[in-house]
Amino acid sequence: MTDEPGATSRRRRNSDRARMVLVGIVVAALAVAALSFVSGQWGIGCSTTDEYALAVAPALAPAVGEALARADTGCAAFEITAEEPGDVASRLGTGAGAPDLWIPEGGWWARRAQDNAAGSVRTISFPLATSPLVLAGAPDAVPVAPNWRSALGLAGLDLGNPLRTGTAAGVIRAALAETADNPVAVGTVRSALAVHAQREGARREEPPTGQAALERIEGDDVIVTTEQQVQVHRRTRERDLDVWIPENGTVMVDYPIVVTAPDPDRNARAARTGAALADALHAADARAILSREGFRDGVGHALPDIRGLGTVPVLELQDDAIMSEAMRTWTLLALPVRTLIVVDVSESMRRPVDGTTPLELVAQAARAADDVFPDSVSAGLWMFASDIGVPGRDYVEIAPVRRFDTMIGSETQREIVTSLDKWVPDSTGTGTALYDTVLEAFRTAQAGYDPRAVNSVIVVTDGGNDDPGGIGKDELLAALGRLRDPARPVPVLTVGVTDTADGDVLAEIATATGGSSYLAGDPSELAQILVSALADRSRR
């Protein structure tokens, strides 16, 4: 195993660790301080000081904080927050809480974010720093693989979440860059990703990143990280790690400055300030801090003092569309279902048609869906009709959203949700109260939004709205439009039972939230339609 091509890496790592261990405590303190840093020198001598929100990749945030504490380049102050790139990109969808400036881990995140951003997202600087993507593990524990595609198949590899971190997304870029224009090779990457995506979908919380991930390495564990993170770990933890890249090279993770302020005027001012920020962070003092922290320069030159991997071949992905498709595939496979199922139990749903009520058909379909979905599905159940809840409310909560394998007394959540006919209230209203219920269900699903899941509301009904005392259609659609958050999507998926359902109204409701609408003209289709609605991830 080698840490630097053509050299004896173990001696160099030990020497590096011995030289740098004395500064470990200082670096740890800086890491904490940088999470909420406001530059004090940039406002010296200014009649007014403009404050800017600056989101920085967690690995870089301590060094940026230290560098800005010594800088004096204008009448600006920065509040720095350390954030993973996927978290920032999701907030840019609405502009709410979006930073003015952003230094992501991987410049490709800016291109991805621009597709859904509420405002302009522009990269305005040459990278402040770079660091090669690597695999790391305990000494002698990282297997040698011929390329990144093979590395994806390593049994002990914990890839992480590419929808959130720069390193996990980086290894997918590296594997795709190796494939060039070979469709067969691209297919092997997608097949390898499927295993990791399904594993990711089974997690209940985000995996650790950065130094926290390195600290958890034991046995045959292998993680995706950067040369810089390994350098910090060796220096501050007095612990050796094995590092590997394939002979054909690796992706260079870069850190540019990106303007993200959603307001056009604010965006223009942030761009000017960002240019001054770039000058400050490219200055000699800042470069020295970044180098000490294990970052290469913006070009990717090897670290000084025989640290790290030396000169490495760099892989470049030429077609970002391939990466976008891979991320869509990952989303479909990795994100679990989180849905609130809202079932109409008004009088018409309980009236027999050819010997069977629409509600009985829905119950049969729910039992059929039970065989399809894993325990990782989270679902809740409401029933609605006019005035069946507490006074002034048109729905009853049978079960809040919980995982299917959650035990409630002697029953699982799966049994409660799929045996919905057991929970129909003895007394229900005659009206449907569709609009009021949809609005409340949408608000409830938004309040419980899970960023690691495909969130939705599924509304099952045999009619349109029949509730003179409730809100109207236009009021509902306007409210859904105001509440809809592209960064936290909650599509309403409508299912019309029998040919009496108002398909036009249901389609309008679904469209207002980015959802889909289904109609079951034939009762035999209902089971498959419910399965399709529960699995609908196309609006993510």
Side-chain angles (χ1 to χ4, degrees), residues 359-431:
L359 189 57
E360 288 170 342
L361 294 174
V362 174
Q364 293 170 14
R367 284 190 287 271
D370 182 33
D371 297 329
V372 177
F373 291 96
D375 286 341
S376 60
V377 167
S378 293
L381 178 62
W382 286 9
M383 294 183 174
F384 72 98
S386 57
D387 298 322
I388 67 167
V390 298
R393 196 169 74 179
D394 299 308
Y395 69 89
V396 173
E397 181 183 74
I398 305 301
V401 176
R402 292 181 286 230
R403 274 178 57 109
F404 266 178
D405 57 0
T406 303
M407 292 297 301
I408 300 92
S410 61
E411 293 184 292
T412 65
Q413 180 80 351
R414 176 192 295 274
E415 291 170 330
I416 293 173
V417 171
T418 59
S419 301
L420 60 89
D421 49 337
K422 292 171 50 177
W423 313 107
V424 178
D426 292 333
S427 176
T428 65
T430 58

Side-chain angles (χ1 to χ4, degrees), residues 110-192:
R111 296 189 291 274
R112 284 195 63 197
Q114 178 61 76
D115 293 339
N116 298 311
S120 174
V121 175
R122 297 175 291 151
T123 300
I124 61 167
S125 78
F126 188 73
L128 305 173
T130 59
S131 190
L133 193 76
V134 302
L135 292 183
D140 301 318
V142 181
V144 175
N147 51 46
W148 284 104
R149 282 174 287 153
S150 298
L152 287 172
L154 295 176
L157 176 64
D158 189 347
L159 179 62
N161 183 358
L163 299 177
R164 184 168 184 255
T165 71
T167 53
V171 73
I172 298 175
R173 292 184 71 86
L176 291 172
E178 294 171 336
T179 65
D181 297 322
N182 186 337
V184 175
V186 171
T188 64
V189 173
R190 290 173 180 160
S191 297

Side-chain angles (χ1 to χ4, degrees), residues 118-425:
S120 174
V121 175
R122 297 175 291 151
T123 300
I124 61 167
S125 78
F126 188 73
L128 305 173
T130 59
S131 190
L133 193 76
V134 302
L135 292 183
D140 301 318
V142 181
V144 175
N147 51 46
W148 284 104
R149 282 174 287 153
S150 298
L152 287 172
L154 295 176
L157 176 64
D158 189 347
L159 179 62
N161 183 358
L163 299 177
R164 184 168 184 255
T165 71
T167 53
V171 73
I172 298 175
R173 292 184 71 86
L176 291 172
E178 294 171 336
T179 65
D181 297 322
N182 186 337
V184 175
V186 171
T188 64
V189 173
R190 290 173 180 160
S191 297
L193 285 178
V195 176
H196 291 283
Q198 290 164 359
R199 185 186 304 165
E200 183 69 14
R203 294 188 199 264
R204 297 215 180 189
E205 58 185 18
E206 286 287 352
T209 61
Q211 293 300 306
L214 290 172
E215 289 171 4
R216 290 179 56 171
I217 289 177
E218 60 181 22
D220 295 332
D221 293 345
V222 179
I223 71 164
V224 183
T225 185
T226 63
E227 174 192 66
Q228 182 270 335
Q229 286 286 282
V230 172
Q231 291 294 309
V232 170
H233 187 82
R234 287 173 176 164
R235 189 180 73 230
T236 61
R237 302 297 188 271
E238 297 188 66
R239 180 190 183 204
D240 205 2
L241 292 173
D242 232 343
V243 176
W244 171 89
I245 64 169
E247 291 183 2
N248 65 338
T250 186
V251 164
M252 195 67 72
V253 179
D254 63 340
Y255 299 84
I257 294 178
V258 183
V259 181
T260 51
D263 176 76
D265 291 339
R266 179 74 173 176
N267 192 282
R269 294 196 300 274
R272 292 190 293 270
T273 301
L277 175 65
D279 290 342
L281 295 177
H282 277 118
D285 287 349
R287 278 293 329 136
I289 293 170
L290 293 171
S291 178
R292 184 199 70 203
E293 292 302 305
F295 289 100
R296 300 185 178 212
D297 63 18
V299 178
H301 291 129
L303 292 170
D305 304 322
I306 322 179
R307 291 184 290 150
L309 293 162
T311 301
V312 298
V314 177
L315 296 170
E316 295 280 358
L317 180 62
Q318 301 300 322
D319 185 0
D320 267 347
I322 300 175
M323 183 67 180
S324 297
E325 178 59 31
M327 288 297 91
R328 282 192 291 270
T329 300
W330 177 278
T331 301
L332 292 174
L333 293 171
L335 297 182
V337 171
R338 178 181 176 85
T339 192
L340 176 58
I341 302 172
V342 183
V343 180
D344 179 358
V345 293
S346 62
E347 185 178 56
S348 61
M349 284 286 288
R350 304 172 72 178
R351 187 181 302 130
V353 178
D354 297 330
T356 305
T357 69
L359 189 57
E360 288 170 342
L361 294 174
V362 174
Q364 293 170 14
R367 284 190 287 271
D370 182 33
D371 297 329
V372 177
F373 291 96
D375 286 341
S376 60
V377 167
S378 293
L381 178 62
W382 286 9
M383 294 183 174
F384 72 98
S386 57
D387 298 322
I388 67 167
V390 298
R393 196 169 74 179
D394 299 308
Y395 69 89
V396 173
E397 181 183 74
I398 305 301
V401 176
R402 292 181 286 230
R403 274 178 57 109
F404 266 178
D405 57 0
T406 303
M407 292 297 301
I408 300 92
S410 61
E411 293 184 292
T412 65
Q413 180 80 351
R414 176 192 295 274
E415 291 170 330
I416 293 173
V417 171
T418 59
S419 301
L420 60 89
D421 49 337
K422 292 171 50 177
W423 313 107
V424 178

Side-chain angles (χ1 to χ4, degrees), residues 1-48:
M1 191 63 54
T2 63
D3 184 45
E4 179 179 0
T8 305
S9 62
R10 194 87 52 211
R11 290 197 300 271
R12 289 175 175 171
R13 290 198 298 266
N14 291 340
S15 175
D16 174 49
R17 181 183 63 201
R19 284 195 303 269
M20 304 305 295
V21 68
L22 293 178
V23 299
I25 295 175
V26 175
V27 172
L30 288 169
V32 173
L35 296 183
S36 183
F37 167 79
V38 178
S39 171
Q41 294 190 32
W42 281 43
I44 293 176
C46 299
S47 58
T48 60

